[in-house]
Amino acid sequence: KAADWQIADAEIWLAACLADRGERDEAESILLRELAVLEKHDVQSRAVREALTQLVKLYDRWKKPDRAAEYRARLLATPQPH
């Protein structure tokens, strides 16, 4: 439903801010949870792509190349919004 993806979208931005502040564990938890919500509801790919992008950035900064590569591959496989 619309409210779920809108909340997820806001949470993704919160996680991005937390990651910028160095609060990586909290950011990771939020991003993974909200990505699951978005994928469960099969919402627009823009929101899914944003969650994946933020996870890639987080893992790159966190020096976790395997995790970054996993989400980068998923990002590349996610359709661009029209």
Side-chain angles (χ1 to χ4, degrees), residues 32-47:
L32 293 174
R33 180 184 67 232
E34 299 310 323
L35 179 60
V37 168
L38 293 169
E39 290 178 333
K40 176 182 175 189
H41 293 286
D42 194 34
V43 298
Q44 60 180 331
S45 60
R46 185 204 59 79

Side-chain angles (χ1 to χ4, degrees), residues 1-52:
K1 57 189 182 183
D4 289 339
W5 80 258
Q6 290 170 328
I7 292 168
D9 197 43
E11 291 282 324
I12 291 165
W13 288 107
L14 170 62
C17 292
L18 290 169
D20 287 344
R21 293 176 40 146
E23 298 178 44
R24 294 176 179 146
D25 290 326
E26 183 69 17
E28 179 186 39
S29 176
I30 291 169
L31 288 169
L32 293 174
R33 180 184 67 232
E34 299 310 323
L35 179 60
V37 168
L38 293 169
E39 290 178 333
K40 176 182 175 189
H41 293 286
D42 194 34
V43 298
Q44 60 180 331
S45 60
R46 185 204 59 79
V48 172
R49 289 182 61 80
E50 185 59 37
L52 292 169

